[in-house]
C-alpha cells in the first residue's frame, strides 16, 4: 500500500532539534544526543508531523531528497532501516519494547513509502497493555542506513535480573541484533565486570570459537560506560559490528526498566522448610504473635542447648519469622543449607568449643528428655482439661489462658525439636496417621465430622490452626491402621499434638473475646480483632480501647507460595537455587519475581493463573502479557523485547528452558522463579520442599540442625 509523505517534515539526526523527544520521539532523541556526545551513531533523519517544527512547511520533495541522499553512497544505492520513534517508548518507566513496527532493508522509494506507512500505522493498531500506557498516533519515524553486521546484540549497562549495577550484561548473535530482540535466536550471554572481566557465559562458549573477541568486548564495555556518562544512568543498548570494517555502531540507547532489587550484603537464606507443616497458610498479625513468636523462641532455645549456632547470632536474628504473613525459617541456622564459609568454619575454634560445651548438657539431656517431655505433656493435658468452656470464663481469664498458651508453646516447640534430634524410637506412629484412622473408623460408624472432632481431638492434627473459620476434615480418609489412642504415640508426636491442642484452645478463647468486645454487632468482630497484635489485644481487654486505625486495616490476602529458598530484596522474596542444584539444571532467569500457576500454550481457554509456555519469545505475544502468572520459553534472550516487557509487568520469566513445551503441557501446575530460571512442576499434593544440605559439623550431640525443626 502506498503512502503520501506530504504533511511530514524532515529533522536531521545531527541537529539540535532532533534531541527533543517531544519532537522526534525518545528513540531518535536518544540517538541524536548520543551522536552529539561523540558516540558511534549512524547518520539519518527523522520524519515528524510538520506542526512540531516551528516554521516548517509540509514538503514531500524534502522527504524524497532526504531519503535519496541517505540511500546513495558514492553513487551506489544502499538500503535503509525505517523505525518507530514514539514519545511514549524508551522512557524510564516503559520501554514499549517491540510493540511498534520496524522495517529493515528498504531499497526503493516505493518500499520506503510503504515502510513509513507501516510504522505509523502500528501506532494506531497497537493497543495498550495496561490502562496507563499512552498512545502516539502521530509517531515520529527514524530513518538510518541499513548496516550489515558481523555480530550484533543487546547490552545492558547493569544486570536487570540480579539488580547489580557493578555488572554489564550483553547478549550477542552472529548477524544483526534483530534476530535477538525478536526472540528467534537465543544468542550467547556474557556477564562482565565494569572492568571488562568475563564473569560468566551462558551457554558455555569454547575460547577459540567465541562470537566476540576480547578486543570487541573491551570496546563494548567502554561504550557502556560512555553511554552511562551521557545519560546519567545505565542504558539498554542495541549494537552491531560492521561486517566490512569491524566498526562498532550504536543502534539504540534507552533507560533500563524494571531493575530487580538486590539483597543486602549478608541477607539471610530463608524458606518455608519444615515450619510450613505446622503453619502452612497466610497468618494475620494476631495469629503471628500467638504462634510464630513462640515457635521461633522454642527453636532458638533448642539450637542454643544443642550448641549448633552461636548465641550471639541467635540473639540477633529470629529463627522463624514471616514474609507476607507466611512462616519461614532461617535455613542456615537450621542446618538446611551448607555453611557460606565452610573453610573458615573449619579452622575457627569457636564452633568446636561451643559444641564441646553443649556435649555435656545434651549427654545428660538425652536420658532426661523423655521424662521431661512426659511431665510437660501431662501438665499441658491437665491444664487444658481444667479450662471450662470459654463462655464460662471471665474476660481476664480468657486473656490469661491465651498468655499461658504463648508461654507453653515455646517449651513444647523446644522439646519437640530436641526430641526429634536426640531421641530414637522403634515406633513409626504419627499423630496424623492416628487421626486418619480415627476419622475412617468414625465415618464407618456413621458419625458426623463435628461429633468426631468433639470426641477425638487428635483429628486436629489434620487441620492447620486459624482464628478464622476452621477448615473441614479431609474428604478422603485412608485407613493406615487401627486407632490406638494418643497414649500410644511416641514422645515427639505427643508433643506435636499438644502444640496443636494449645493453638486450638487459644483460638477458642480469642473467638470468645471477640464476641464480648463486639456487643450487639457494634464492635470490631473476629476478622478485625485478628488484625491486632498481642499487645493491642491486651490493652483492648484491659479497657484501654482499640487502635484508632483498626477500621482502616485490611486482612492479609492469600498469596502464592513462597520460593523454597530465597533472600529478601527490598522486602520482597528473591528466589535462590536450592542447595545442590546447579544453574545449568534450570533455564535463565529473566526477572519478574516468583509465582505459581497453570501451564498454557496461548491457545484455547486461558486459565486464571496462566503460565505461558512457548518455544520463542515472539514480540507478537505481548498482548497476552497482562494478567499472566508467569512466562516460560525454550529459547530467547533475557534481553529480548518480550523479556523486557515481562519484567516491566513483574511477570516471573524463565528463558532457555529445555523442551519446556513438551515437558509442561496445558494444565500442568508450575512454579517459575524469575531470578534463577528454575521451572518446576508443583502438583496440588506435592510435599513441601525441604532443602537438604551437608550435615552440620556438630555430629555430636546433634547430627543435623535441620532435625531440630523437621
Amino acid at each position: 500500500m502506498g503512502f503520501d509523505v506530504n504533511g511530514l517534515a524532515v529533522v536531521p539526526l545531527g541537529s539540535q532539534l532532533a534531541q527533543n523527544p517531544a519532537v522526534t520521539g525518545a528513540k531518535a532523541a536518544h540517538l541524536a544526543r548520543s551522536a552529539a556526545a561523540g558516540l558511534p551513531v549512524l547518520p539519518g533523519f527523522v520524519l515528524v508531523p510538520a506542526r512540531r517544527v516551528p516554521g516548517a512547511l509540509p514538503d514531500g520533495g524534502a522527504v524524497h531528497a532526504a531519503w535519496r541522499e541517505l540511500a546513495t553512497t558514492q553513487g551506489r544505492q544502499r538500503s535503509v532501516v525505517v523505525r518507530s520513534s514514539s514519545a511514549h517508548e524508551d522512557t524510564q518507566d516503559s520501554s514499549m519494547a517491540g510493540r511498534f513496527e520496524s522495517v529493515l532493508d528498504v531499497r526503493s522509494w516505493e518500499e520506503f513509502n510503504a515502510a513509513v506507512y507501516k510504522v505509523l500505522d502500528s501506532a494506531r493498531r497497537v493497543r495498550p497493555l495496561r490502562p496507563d500506557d499512552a498512545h502516539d498516533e502521530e509517531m515520529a519515524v527514524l530513518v538510518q542506513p541499513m548496516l550489515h553486521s558481523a555480530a550484533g546484540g543487546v547490552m545492558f549497562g547493569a544486570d536487570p535480573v540480579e539488580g547489580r549495577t557493578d555488572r554489564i550484561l550483553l547478549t550477542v548473535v552472529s548477524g544483526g541484533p534483530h534476530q535477538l530482540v525478536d526472540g528467534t535466536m537465543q544468542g550467547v550471554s556474557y556477564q562482565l565486570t565494569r572492568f571488562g572481566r568475563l564473569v560468566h557465559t551462558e551457554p558455555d562458549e569454547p575460547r577459540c570459537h567465541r562470537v566476540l573477541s576480547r578486543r570487541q568486548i573491551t570496546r563494548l564495555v567502554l561504550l557502556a560506560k560512555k553511554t552511562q556518562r551521557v545519560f546519567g544512568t545505565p542504558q539498554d543498548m542495541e549494537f552491531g559490528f560492521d561486517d566490512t570494517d569491524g566498526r562498532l555502531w550504536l543502534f539504540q540507547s534507552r533507560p533500563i526498566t524494571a531493575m530487580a532489587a538486590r539483597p543486602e550484603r549478608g541477607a539471610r537464606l530463608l524458606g518455608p522448610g519444615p515450619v510450613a507443616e505446622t503453619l502452612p497458610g497466610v497468618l494475620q498479625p494476631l495469629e503471628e504473635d500467638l504462634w510464630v513468636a513462640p515457635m521461633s523462641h522454642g527453636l532458638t532455645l533448642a539450637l542454643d542447648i544443642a550448641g549448633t549456632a552461636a548465641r550471639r547470632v541467635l540473639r540477633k536474628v529470629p529463627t522463624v519469622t514471616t514474609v507476607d504473613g507466611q512462616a519461614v525459617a532461617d535455613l542456615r541456622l537450621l542446618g538446611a543449607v551448607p555453611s557460606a564459609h565452610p573453610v573458615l568454619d573449619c579452622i575457627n575454634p569457636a564452633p568446636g568449643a561451643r559444641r564441646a560445651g553443649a556435649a555435656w548438657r545434651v549427654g545428660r539431656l538425652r536420658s532426661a528428655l523423655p521424662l521431661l517431655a512426659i511431665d510437660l505433656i501431662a501438665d499441658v493435658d491437665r491444664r487444658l482439661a481444667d479450662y471450662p468452656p470459654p463462655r464460662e470464663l471471665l474476660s481476664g481469664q480468657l486473656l490469661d489462658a491465651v498468655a499461658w498458651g504463648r508461654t507453653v508453646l515455646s517449651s513444647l516447640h523446644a522439646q519437640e525439636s530436641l526430641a526429634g534430634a536426640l531421641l530414637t524410637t522403634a515406633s513409626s506412629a504419627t499423630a496424623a496417621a492416628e487421626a486418619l484412622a480415627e476419622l475412617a473408623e468414625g465415618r464407618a460408624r456413621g458419625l458426623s465430622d463435628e461429633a468426631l472432632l468433639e470426641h477425638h481431638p487428635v483429628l486436629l492434627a489434620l487441620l492447620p490452626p486459624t482464628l478464622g473459620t476452621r477448615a473441614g476434615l479431609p474428604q478422603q480418609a485412608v485407613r493406615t491402621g487401627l486407632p490406638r489412642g494418643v497414649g500410644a504415640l511416641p514422645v515427639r508426636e505427643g508433643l506435636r499434638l499438644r502444640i496443636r491442642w494449645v493453638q486450638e484452645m487459644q483460638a477458642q478463647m480469642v473467638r470468645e473475646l471477640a464476641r464480648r468486645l463486639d456487643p450487639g454487632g457494634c464492635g470490631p468482630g473476629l476478622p478485625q480483632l485478628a488484625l491486632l497484635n498481642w499487645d493491642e489485644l491486651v490493652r483492648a481487654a484491659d479497657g484501654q480501647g482499640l487502635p484508632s486505625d483498626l477500621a482502616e486495616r485490611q486482612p492479609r490476602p492469600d498469596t502464592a507460595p513462597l520460593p523454597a529458598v530465597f533472600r529478601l530484596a527490598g522486602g520482597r522474596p528473591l528466589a535462590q537455587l536450592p542447595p545442590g542444584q546447579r544453574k545449568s539444571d534450570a533455564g535463565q532467569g529473566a526477572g519478574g519475581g516468583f509465582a505459581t500457576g497453570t501451564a498454557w500454550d496461548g491457545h484455547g481457554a486461558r486459565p486464571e493463573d496462566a503460565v505461558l509456555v512457548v518455544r520463542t519469545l515472539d514480540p507478537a505475544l505481548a498482548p497476552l502479557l497482562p494478567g499472566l502468572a508467569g512466562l516460560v520459553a525454550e529459547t530467547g534472550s533475557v534481553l529480548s523485547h518480550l523479556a523486557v516487557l515481562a519484567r516491566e509487568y513483574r511477570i516471573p520469566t524463565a528463558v532457555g528452558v529445555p523442551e519446556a513445551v513438551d515437558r509442561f503441557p496445558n494444565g500442568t501446575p508450575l512454579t517459575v522463579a524469575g531470578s534463577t530460571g528454575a521451572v518446576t512442576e508443583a502438583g496440588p499434593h506435592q510435599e513441601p520442599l525441604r532443602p537438604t544440605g551437608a550435615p552440620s559439623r556438630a555430629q555430636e550431640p546433634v547430627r543435623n540442625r535441620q532435625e531440630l525443626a523437621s
Side-chain angles (χ1 to χ4, degrees):
M1 178 183 295
F3 176 67
D4 185 5
V5 295
N6 290 319
L8 298 178
V10 177
V11 178
L13 197 59
S15 67
Q16 182 68 32
L17 184 61
Q19 299 182 36
N20 185 350
V23 176
T24 60
K27 185 180 297 179
H30 292 167
L31 284 178
R33 187 174 170 186
S34 299
L39 298 179
V41 176
L42 291 165
F45 61 88
V46 190
L47 298 179
V48 302
R51 59 179 178 77
R52 295 187 187 175
V53 181
L57 296 175
D59 187 356
V63 176
H64 186 274
W67 165 79
R68 190 173 193 80
E69 180 182 353
L70 190 65
T72 305
T73 303
Q74 296 178 348
R76 292 189 307 170
Q77 192 78 11
R78 63 175 176 179
S79 57
V80 298
V81 176
V82 180
R83 306 166 69 192
S84 65
S85 184
S86 168
H88 304 296
E89 64 178 335
D90 295 354
T91 65
Q92 191 74 45
D93 301 319
S94 176
S95 66
M96 297 288 284
R99 296 288 284 147
F100 303 119
E101 291 283 354
S102 292
V103 185
L104 309 180
D105 204 18
V106 177
R107 296 181 178 273
S108 67
W109 173 246
E110 290 73 20
E111 290 180 3
F112 177 75
N113 273 263
V116 173
Y117 173 81
K118 187 175 183 179
V119 171
L120 291 175
D121 188 55
S122 69
R124 291 185 285 269
R125 288 186 291 103
V126 170
R127 292 186 177 183
L129 298 183
R130 53 191 171 192
D132 56 340
D133 281 343
H135 274 287
D136 187 359
E137 295 192 0
E138 292 188 317
M139 183 168 58
V141 178
L142 172 65
V143 185
Q144 290 179 288
M146 175 75 182
L147 183 77
H148 295 281
S149 304
V154 178
M155 176 169 60
F156 278 43
D159 188 334
V161 178
E162 296 187 12
R164 300 191 64 161
T165 56
D166 61 338
R167 291 287 188 264
I168 294 174
L169 192 66
L170 67 93
T171 305
V172 63
V173 295
S174 296
H178 61 278
Q179 307 168 91
L180 182 69
V181 297
D182 65 10
T184 57
M185 291 189 67
Q186 185 167 349
V188 179
S189 295
Y190 298 79
Q191 189 183 57
L192 309 166
T193 68
R194 300 286 295 178
F195 301 101
R197 181 175 64 83
L198 183 61
V199 177
H200 176 72
T201 62
E202 183 70 35
D204 290 335
E205 192 180 30
R207 184 179 295 271
C208 56
H209 292 95
R210 286 182 175 167
V211 179
L212 295 179
S213 67
R214 179 69 248 176
R215 186 162 178 258
Q216 287 174 317
I217 291 176
T218 301
R219 291 163 65 188
L220 284 169
V221 170
L222 290 175
L223 177 62
K225 292 180 178 179
K226 290 178 181 177
T227 309
Q228 180 172 343
R229 282 197 294 270
V230 170
F231 293 99
T233 59
Q235 295 289 293
D236 166 2
M237 294 155 280
E238 289 183 23
F239 64 87
F241 288 94
D242 195 328
D243 65 354
T244 57
D245 57 12
R247 289 186 64 184
L248 171 62
W249 294 99
L250 178 65
F251 298 152
Q252 177 178 292
S253 179
R254 62 186 175 201
I256 297 175
T257 56
M259 276 284 289
R262 188 181 177 193
E264 294 182 4
R265 187 178 181 86
R268 296 192 292 162
L269 273 178
L270 302 173
V275 301
E277 296 180 2
T278 303
L279 301 170
V282 174
L283 302 172
Q284 301 304 327
L286 185 55
E287 295 173 325
E288 186 177 328
D289 276 1
L290 294 183
W291 302 325
V292 175
M295 175 188 283
S296 181
H297 186 243
L299 289 179
T300 299
L301 287 175
L303 291 169
D304 184 39
I305 291 171
T308 53
R311 189 167 291 176
R312 61 177 177 80
V313 176
L314 294 174
R315 287 197 192 104
K316 187 168 59 174
V317 296
T319 307
V320 180
T321 185
T322 58
V323 174
D324 292 337
Q326 300 180 66
V328 295
D330 186 312
L331 299 178
R332 289 209 191 281
L333 285 179
L334 296 186
V337 295
S339 169
H341 307 288
V343 176
L344 293 179
D345 287 348
C346 186
I347 62 177
N348 184 3
R354 187 174 65 246
R355 292 194 300 272
W360 181 83
R361 296 194 303 270
V362 174
R364 295 170 59 87
L365 183 60
R366 195 187 299 272
S367 59
L369 186 59
L371 295 177
L372 292 173
I374 290 172
D375 284 347
L376 179 59
I377 287 172
D379 180 64
V380 170
D381 288 350
R382 182 169 53 253
R383 188 71 176 261
L384 292 176
D386 287 345
Y387 283 125
R391 62 180 179 275
E392 298 179 11
L393 292 173
L394 299 174
S395 296
Q397 292 175 314
L398 293 173
L399 203 62
D400 288 343
V402 178
W404 170 81
R406 297 183 78 219
T407 302
V408 79
L409 279 176
S410 178
S411 300
L412 286 167
H413 280 295
Q415 291 204 22
E416 186 265 337
S417 300
L418 289 169
L422 303 179
L423 302 183
T424 58
T425 176
S427 173
S428 60
T430 65
E434 176 70 17
L436 287 171
E438 290 276 14
L439 182 59
E441 186 170 286
R443 284 177 174 170
R445 299 203 312 266
L447 298 177
S448 67
D449 288 358
E450 292 75 13
L452 287 170
L453 276 170
E454 183 177 354
H455 294 95
H456 301 283
V458 69
L459 295 176
L460 290 171
L462 302 176
L463 304 175
T466 179
L467 293 180
T469 303
R470 193 165 55 195
L473 291 168
Q475 294 300 312
Q476 299 293 329
V478 180
R479 186 189 294 273
T480 57
L482 295 175
R484 300 179 180 275
V486 297
L489 293 175
V491 168
R492 186 187 187 192
E493 287 298 312
L495 290 165
R496 279 185 168 182
L497 187 58
R498 270 61 184 191
I499 290 172
R500 183 65 190 88
W501 287 354
V502 172
Q503 292 169 337
E504 185 64 21
M505 178 275 294
Q506 291 176 302
Q508 292 178 5
M509 301 298 180
V510 170
R511 291 187 188 108
E512 178 62 21
L513 271 175
R515 188 186 66 78
R516 297 185 187 184
L517 291 172
D518 187 23
C522 300
L526 183 59
Q528 286 296 107
L529 201 69
L531 305 184
L532 300 174
N533 60 40
W534 170 246
D535 291 335
E536 290 172 337
L537 177 63
V538 171
R539 288 196 293 270
D542 286 345
Q544 299 180 35
L546 295 166
S548 58
D549 65 340
L550 182 59
E552 285 75 41
R553 297 184 190 181
Q554 296 296 319
R556 291 170 175 164
D558 287 336
T559 56
L562 295 170
V565 182
F566 65 90
R567 286 186 171 92
L568 288 177
R572 305 302 307 160
L574 183 67
Q576 307 288 299
L577 284 177
Q581 181 175 346
R582 299 171 300 165
K583 196 172 183 71
S584 59
D585 294 336
Q588 287 182 266
F594 176 89
T596 61
T598 305
W600 178 55
D601 62 5
H603 300 91
R606 172 173 174 157
E608 185 177 349
D609 56 348
V611 175
L612 184 62
V613 182
V614 294
R615 298 207 185 273
T616 62
L617 291 175
D618 186 348
L621 297 171
L624 300 180
L625 291 180
L628 283 182
L631 175 61
V632 177
E634 291 186 0
T635 62
S637 164
V638 300
L639 306 184
S640 66
H641 283 157
L642 199 68
V644 171
L645 287 174
R647 277 196 296 276
E648 291 179 11
Y649 288 92
R650 301 186 182 277
I651 298 171
T653 303
V655 302
V657 180
E659 302 176 348
V661 173
D662 297 325
R663 288 166 54 201
F664 308 127
N666 282 354
T668 305
L670 298 177
T671 65
V672 183
S675 56
T676 65
V679 182
T680 56
E681 292 190 41
H685 304 296
Q686 186 179 13
E687 289 294 321
L689 177 60
R690 301 186 190 180
T692 56
S696 163
R697 288 188 312 283
Q699 300 294 332
E700 288 294 337
V702 179
R703 293 184 299 278
N704 191 325
R705 277 173 285 175
Q706 192 179 11
E707 294 176 351
L708 292 170
S710 62

